[in-house]
């Protein structure tokens, strides 16, 4: 298996029903839909960027249930779509079974490693980006208590939480980090009501900054934070614009770049594992006109310095998924 560590780049859009050429790329969005304002939407933005820059078209499908995964993959492969990109770890087992049946189709999967000769696996160092927003959260917190609301309770989301807690503790060793997960099934990615309830509970415990890593559920987290008069931290896409001046920052995960690069590389692209972290702009924190006024220059400077140290290897952030433990948070 080829190991690749590189910056990603380019994007696309068109429905499966549209008349497309044999080699049009395709993307399958996970549960929560392509306009979840988070993970899936970032993937869509990458596809659209490719289409806008190249004039190309792409096929797309949105998942409605778990049972559709294999059907969607086979339908796209048989339609001639190439490459076929999918978002989310949950496609892993299905792709491992389907990929060998279509050896001439290039597949790319985000957030899971599938060891097949025609598959590119894109994984992210989410713990690194989460560490940086944790630093900002700790600096912004007046109570010394911050929160984390995850989506489905899986190792990947604990990876976010663990990195975040480490960043918080790096700034304030005495800080309290409250962590809750929305659920244990895929429905946890699209439950803004539950996200709101968990946020309100964390506010009642003193949290004055809450980080949401929960897909569509995070929309409820961010709204509850505004209603409760506290700051929030977005995830995956830059969510600062959802509540200008109320979202401290967003831990951006460049799924858009991963999708754009896969589309740009086209059929027969290099396969293996592609790792995206701080060092190659795969993860980071978002700064723009929406949060600039509320982020102190000293806080940003400290986070930038930490990012440089992570990129150089001088600073190491523990990855929960390496050993299922976290030095800064108990699950």
């Amino acid at each position: 298996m080829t190991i690749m560590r590189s910056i990603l780049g380019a994007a696309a859009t068109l429905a499966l029903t549209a008349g497309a050429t044999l080699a049009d790329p395709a993307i399958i969005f996970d549960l929560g839909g392509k306009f979840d304002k988070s993970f899936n939407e970032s993937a869509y933005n990458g596809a659209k960027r490719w289409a806008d820059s190249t004039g190309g078209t792409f096929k797309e499908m949105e998942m409605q249930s778990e049972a559709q995964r294999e059907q969607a993959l086979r339908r796209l492969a048989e339609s001639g779509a190439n490459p076929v990109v999918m978002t989310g770890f949950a496609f892993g087992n299905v792709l491992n079974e389907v990929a060998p049946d279509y050896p001439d189709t290039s597949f790319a999967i985000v957030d899971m490693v599938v060891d097949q000769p025609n598959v590119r696996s894109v994984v992210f160092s989410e713990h690194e980006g989460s560490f940086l927003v944790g630093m900002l959260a700790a600096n912004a917190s007046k109570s010394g208590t911050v929160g984390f609301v995850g989506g489905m309770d899986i190792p990947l989301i604990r990876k976010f939480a663990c990195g975040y807690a480490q960043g918080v503790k790096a700034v304030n060793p005495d800080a309290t980090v409250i962590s809750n997960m929305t659920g244990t099934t895929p429905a946890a990615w699209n439950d803004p009501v539950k996200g709101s309830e968990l946020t309100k509970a964390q506010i009642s415990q003193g949290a004055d900054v809450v980080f949401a890593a929960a897909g569509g559920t995070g929309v409820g987290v961010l709204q509850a934070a505004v209603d409760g008069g506290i700051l929030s931290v977005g995830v995956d896409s830059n969510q600062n614009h959802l509540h200008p001046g109320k979202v401290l920052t967003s831990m951006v995960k460049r799924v858009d770049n991963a999708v754009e690069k896969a589309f740009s590389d086209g059929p027969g692209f290099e396969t293996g594992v592609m790792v995206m972290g701080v060092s190659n702009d795969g993860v980071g924190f978002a700064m723009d006109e929406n949060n600039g006024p509320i982020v102190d220059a000293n806080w940003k400077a400290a986070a930038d310095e930490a990012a440089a140290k992570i990129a150089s290897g001088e600073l190491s952030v523990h990855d929960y998924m390496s050993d299922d433990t976290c030095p800064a948070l108990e699950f």
Side-chain angles (χ1 to χ4, degrees):
M1 175 179 283
T2 303
I3 302 297
M4 301 185 294
R5 292 178 181 269
S6 65
I7 305 177
L8 286 75
T13 295
L14 247 238
L16 187 58
T17 54
T21 62
L22 188 65
D24 274 351
I27 184 168
I28 310 176
F29 302 102
D30 209 346
L31 298 174
K34 68 179 179 182
F35 294 127
D36 63 357
K37 297 183 173 61
S38 186
F39 180 78
N40 286 320
E41 191 158 339
S42 178
Y44 170 74
N45 289 338
K48 187 175 187 302
R49 193 164 64 237
W50 172 86
D52 291 344
S53 65
T54 65
T57 59
F58 64 91
K59 303 176 182 181
E60 60 180 347
M61 294 185 71
E62 295 185 67
M63 297 291 302
Q64 301 300 323
S65 71
E66 288 292 315
Q68 293 180 324
R69 295 190 190 279
E70 182 172 355
Q71 176 188 19
L73 271 179
R74 292 189 181 279
R75 181 181 174 190
L76 285 170
E78 290 171 5
S79 77
N82 198 5
V84 177
V85 181
M86 63 223 70
T87 59
F89 71 95
F91 282 100
N93 290 337
V94 172
L95 179 59
N96 195 47
E97 296 178 2
V98 171
D101 293 340
Y102 304 92
D104 296 327
T105 300
S106 297
F107 296 94
I109 183 169
V110 177
D111 277 355
M112 178 57 70
V113 174
V114 173
D115 189 5
Q116 294 291 346
N118 56 334
V119 174
R120 171 184 293 180
S121 303
V122 185
V123 294
F124 292 80
S125 300
E126 294 92 351
H127 54 302
E128 295 178 352
S130 296
F131 181 94
L132 301 177
V133 300
M135 290 182 65
L136 292 173
N139 274 314
S141 176
K142 295 180 174 61
S143 68
T145 297
V146 300
F148 174 88
V149 176
M152 187 176 175
D153 188 3
I154 54 175
L156 175 63
I157 299 304
R158 292 189 176 197
K159 182 179 181 179
F160 278 89
C162 184
Y164 175 66
Q166 289 175 79
V168 171
K169 298 284 188 177
V171 171
N172 180 5
D174 297 323
T176 297
V177 180
I178 305 169
S179 174
N180 296 113
M181 300 293 181
T182 305
T184 56
T185 69
W189 302 122
N190 195 27
D191 192 346
V193 173
K194 182 65 176 294
S196 176
E197 292 172 350
L198 291 172
T199 303
K200 291 175 182 177
Q202 293 187 357
I203 293 173
S204 72
Q205 297 174 69
D208 57 0
V209 184
V210 176
F211 176 26
T217 296
V219 174
V221 175
L222 270 57
Q223 183 62 58
V226 172
D227 296 342
I230 70 166
L231 295 171
S232 60
V233 176
V235 76
D236 294 339
S237 296
N238 180 353
Q239 298 182 316
N240 296 352
H241 68 282
L242 295 180
H243 301 285
K246 303 298 182 181
V247 179
L248 178 66
T249 187
S250 297
M251 200 296 277
V252 288
K253 176 175 171 179
R254 300 309 303 269
V255 179
D256 57 336
N257 287 348
V259 173
E260 185 180 17
K261 180 167 177 59
F263 279 14
S264 295
D265 290 349
F269 56 42
E270 187 173 4
T271 57
V273 179
M274 175 176 289
V275 181
M276 299 186 66
V278 167
S279 65
N280 58 9
D281 295 328
V283 296
F285 63 94
M287 292 297 303
D288 56 28
E289 68 278 6
N290 295 302
N291 70 332
I294 62 172
V295 176
D296 185 280
N298 291 326
W299 307 348
K300 181 180 182 300
D304 285 338
E305 181 180 359
K309 290 181 177 179
I310 292 172
S312 70
E314 181 180 349
L315 173 60
S316 177
V317 183
H318 181 73
D319 178 356
Y320 175 86
M321 293 181 69
S322 67
D323 61 4
D324 291 340
T325 68
C326 182
L329 184 67
E330 292 186 8
F331 293 99

